C-alpha cells in the first residue's frame, strides 16, 4: 500500500505543497524552499522517509535533464532593454557577486576547499546554481559539501531579507522625508524606458501555433544545441542555454518564459529541486554540527563583505546611495519574487499616501527586480558553470 512510486511521489509533492502554503501564509517571511527542504531533512535524519525517495518517486532521471530546460526558459525572460536602462544597478549587482566570489576563498581554511567551491556560486544565485553545484559535488563524492549547498540555498533568504528590508526602508524614509520637505516629486533618470508602438514579433504574429508541445519541442531543441556547443567548446551547456534563450527571446522567435507558456514550469521546478534533495539524505546527526558551523561562517563572511564593499568603501557611488547599494547587493541572496515582495512591503511601511508609495516603488522596485534578475537568474548560472570544474 505504501511501498510504491505513487505514494513516494505523493510525499515529495506534499512537502513542496506545505512549503508553498506556509510561504504564502507568511508573505514569504518563512521561505517555502526552507520549509520543504527542512521537512526532507527531518524525514531523512529520523528515518521516516527512505534515503532513495527521489529515485523511487521517479524524479531522479527527470532531474538530470531538466536543468537546461529551466535555464533556457530563464534566458527567455531576460529583458535586454531593461538591463541596459538599469546598467548602474546591473553593475552594482555584478560587482557584489564578484566581491563575494573573490572574498569567498577566505572560507577555504575555515570550512574546507570543496565546501567553499560549492558555496560561492550558491551565494550568488538560486535554484539552478544550487542544482549544478550539489550535483557536481555528489558525483565527485563530496557528500558534506553537497549537503551544505542545499542548506545554504534553503537559508539564504532568511539572511538576505532583513538586509534588503532594512536598507530599503532607510532609503524610502530618506526619500519621503525629502519629498515632504520640498513638495517636489523626485525624478529617477534612466529607470523606466518608455517604448513607442512596437512591431509584433514573429512569436506574436504566429502565437496560435505555439502550443504546449511546440514550446517544449523548441526548448528541447535549444537544450540539445547547448549540449552540442558544450562538446565543442568545453563551456557548460547551461551557460549556452542561458545565452541562446536571451537571444531568441530578444529576436522574438520564442515566447517569453517559454516553460510557463507551455504550462510546464511547475513540474520542471520540481525536477530541479529533486536533484538537490538526495544530498540531504546523506546527512547524519553528527554532521549537523559541522554543517551548522559552516553555514554560520559562510553567512557572517558574506554579510561582512557586502557591508564593507557597499557601505564603507566607495563602491556605493556607482548607484548613488549607500542604502540602495546594500539593498541591491543583497538581492543575490533573494531573487524573484522575494525582491518584489520586499519592495512592496517597504513602500507600504514608509508611505502615508498613495503618491508617496508610488515614489518609493519608482525608486526601489526597478532596482530590486533588476538586481535579483541579473544575479540569481543570469550571472549566477555563468559563475556556477565556471566553478563546477574546480571540484
Amino acid at each position: 500500500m505504501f511501498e510504491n512510486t505513487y505514494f513516494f511521489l505523493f510525499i515529495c509533492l506534499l512537502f513542496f505543497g506545505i512549503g508553498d502554503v506556509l510561504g504564502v501564509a507568511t508573505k514569504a517571511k518563512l521561505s517555502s524552499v526552507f520549509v520543504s527542504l527542512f521537512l526532507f531533512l527531518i524525514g531523512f535524519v529520523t528515518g521516516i522517509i527512505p534515503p532513495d525517495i527521489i529515485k523511487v518517486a521517479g524524479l531522479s532521471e527527470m532531474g538530470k535533464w531538466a536543468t537546461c530546460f529551466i535555464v533556457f526558459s530563464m534566458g527567455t525572460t531576460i529583458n535586454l532593454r531593461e538591463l541596459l536602462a538599469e546598467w548602474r544597478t546591473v553593475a552594482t549587482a555584478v560587482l557584489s557577486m564578484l566581491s563575494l566570489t573573490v572574498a569567498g576563498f577566505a572560507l577555504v581554511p575555515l570550512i574546507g576547499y570543496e565546501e567553499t567551491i560549492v558555496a560561492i556560486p550558491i551565494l550568488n544565485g538560486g535554484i539552478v546554481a544550487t542544482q549544478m553545484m550539489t550535483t557536481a559535488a555528489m558525483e565527485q563524492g563530496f557528500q558534506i559539501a553537497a549537503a551544505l549547498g542545499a542548506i545554504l540555498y534553503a537559508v539564504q533568504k532568511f539572511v538576505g531579507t532583513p538586509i534588503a528590508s532594512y536598507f530599503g526602508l532607510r532609503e524610502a524614509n530618506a526619500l519621503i522625508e525629502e519629498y515632504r520637505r520640498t513638495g517636489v516629486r523626485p525624478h529617477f533618470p534612466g529607470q523606466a524606458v518608455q517604448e513607442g508602438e512596437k512591431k509584433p514579433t514573429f512569436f506574436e504574429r504566429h502565437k496560435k501555433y505555439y502550443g504546449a508541445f511546440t514550446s517544449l519541442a523548441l526548448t528541447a531543441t535549444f537544450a540539445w544545441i547547448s549540449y552540442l556547443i558544450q562538446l565543442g567548446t568545453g563551456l557548460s551547456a547551461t551557460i549556452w542555454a542561458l545565452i541562446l534563450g536571451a537571444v531568441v527571446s530578444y529576436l522574438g522567435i520564442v515566447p517569453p518564459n517559454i516553460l510557463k507558456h507551455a504550462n510546464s514550469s511547475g513540474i520542471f521546478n520540481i525536477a530541479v529541486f529533486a536533484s538537490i534533495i538526495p544530498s540531504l539524505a546523506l546527512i547524519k546527526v553528527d554532521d549537523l554540527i559541522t554543517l551548522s558551523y559552516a553555514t554560520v561562517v559562510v553567512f557572517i563572511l558574506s554579510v561582512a563583505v557586502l557591508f564593507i564593499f557597499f557601505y564603507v568603501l566607495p563602491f556605493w557611488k556607482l548607484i548613488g546611495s549607500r542604502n540602495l547599494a546594500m539593498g541591491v547587493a543583497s538581492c543575490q541572496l533573494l531573487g524573484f519574487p522575494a525582491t518584489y515582495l520586499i519592495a512592496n512591503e517597504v513602500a507600504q511601511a514608509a508611505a502615508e499616501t498613495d503618491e508617496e508609495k508610488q515614489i518609493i516603488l519608482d525608486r526601489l522596485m526597478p532596482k530590486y527586480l533588476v538586481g535579483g534578475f541579473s544575479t540569481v537568474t543570469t550571472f549566477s548560472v555563468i559563475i556556477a558553470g565556471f566553478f563546477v570544474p574546480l571540484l
Side-chain angles (χ1 to χ4, degrees):
M1 181 177 179
F2 297 111
E3 298 295 323
N4 57 75
T5 297
Y6 291 106
F7 175 74
F8 290 120
L9 183 59
F10 155 69
I11 295 297
C12 291
L13 297 182
L14 176 65
F15 286 175
F16 288 126
I18 293 172
D20 258 358
V21 170
L22 292 181
V24 173
T26 61
K27 296 182 178 179
K29 290 183 174 63
L30 188 61
S31 166
S32 61
V33 173
F34 175 82
V35 172
S36 301
L37 295 186
F38 183 75
L39 289 173
F40 276 105
L41 178 59
I42 294 300
F44 288 137
V45 171
T46 59
I48 295 174
I49 58 176
D52 61 346
I53 187 172
I54 296 299
K55 181 178 180 180
V56 294
L59 294 173
S60 295
E61 290 303 314
M62 187 177 182
K64 292 179 181 178
W65 55 262
T67 304
C68 266
F69 278 60
I70 288 282
V71 174
F72 176 77
S73 185
M74 288 165 60
T76 65
T77 68
I78 294 176
N79 187 324
L80 296 178
R81 291 186 181 89
E82 185 178 354
L83 292 181
L84 289 174
E86 286 285 351
W87 69 269
R88 290 181 181 275
T89 303
V90 175
T92 300
V94 172
L95 185 59
S96 72
M97 297 175 72
L98 294 177
S99 65
L100 276 189
T101 299
V102 174
F105 283 97
L107 291 168
V108 172
L110 298 174
I111 65 173
Y113 175 79
E114 291 82 15
E115 288 77 7
T116 299
I117 296 302
V118 169
I120 290 174
I122 294 173
L123 291 174
N124 289 156
I127 181 63
V128 174
T130 304
Q131 189 272 342
M132 292 170 65
M133 299 312 302
T134 55
T135 299
M138 290 280 288
E139 290 174 350
Q140 296 293 328
F142 304 130
Q143 299 175 357
I144 297 298
L148 175 63
I151 291 173
L152 290 177
Y153 176 67
V155 173
Q156 64 183 356
K157 284 184 174 57
F158 289 99
V159 178
T161 296
I163 299 173
S165 296
Y166 175 75
F167 287 101
L169 190 59
R170 289 186 55 163
E171 179 72 14
N173 286 334
L175 194 65
I176 294 305
E177 182 181 343
E178 179 70 14
Y179 171 67
R180 291 170 183 168
R181 184 177 62 83
T182 64
V184 178
R185 181 167 180 149
H187 172 65
F188 309 121
Q191 286 192 330
V193 179
Q194 297 295 331
E195 299 178 5
E197 186 176 348
K198 296 189 302 181
K199 293 181 179 179
T201 64
F202 180 86
F203 157 68
E204 290 168 341
R205 293 196 306 270
H206 304 88
K207 189 173 182 178
K208 64 181 180 181
Y209 295 106
Y210 285 78
F213 293 145
T214 302
S215 297
L216 288 173
L218 286 169
T219 306
T221 299
F222 285 105
W224 174 54
I225 292 173
S226 301
Y227 174 72
L228 294 180
I229 299 175
Q230 172 186 289
L231 294 180
T233 63
L235 196 60
S236 173
T238 53
I239 297 176
W240 292 113
L242 186 74
I243 294 171
L244 288 174
V247 170
V248 296
S249 177
Y250 178 77
L251 295 175
I253 298 173
V254 301
N257 204 342
I258 191 169
L259 287 183
K260 184 176 181 180
H261 181 81
N263 296 315
S264 305
S265 56
I267 189 63
F268 278 95
N269 285 335
I270 286 175
V272 174
F273 272 119
S275 60
I276 297 173
I277 291 166
S279 63
L280 299 176
L282 304 172
I283 298 177
K284 301 184 176 83
V285 175
D286 294 342
D287 296 329
L288 293 177
I289 297 175
T290 301
L291 290 169
S292 298
Y293 161 77
T295 301
V296 171
V297 169
V298 167
F299 284 121
I300 287 177
L301 177 74
S302 300
V303 174
V305 167
L306 293 181
F307 185 79
I308 291 170
F309 271 76
F310 295 97
Y311 201 87
V312 178
L313 297 178
F315 292 107
W316 61 267
K317 293 183 178 181
L318 183 61
I319 204 169
S321 163
R322 281 187 170 93
N323 294 321
L324 204 54
M326 280 297 296
V328 169
S330 66
C331 286
Q332 63 188 295
L333 302 173
L334 299 168
F336 185 86
T339 49
Y340 173 82
L341 295 172
I342 290 169
N344 269 309
E345 288 178 358
V346 167
Q348 190 69 36
E352 293 181 357
T353 66
D354 288 341
E355 185 172 11
E356 289 180 355
K357 182 178 180 180
Q358 191 58 51
I359 289 172
I360 296 170
L361 289 176
D362 286 345
R363 178 65 163 167
L364 289 185
M365 189 66 79
K367 308 295 185 187
Y368 276 27
L369 289 182
V370 171
F373 184 78
S374 54
T375 53
V376 175
T377 305
T378 307
F379 289 102
S380 68
V381 178
I382 297 174
I383 290 177
F386 283 107
F387 266 69
V388 165
L390 297 180
L391 283 172

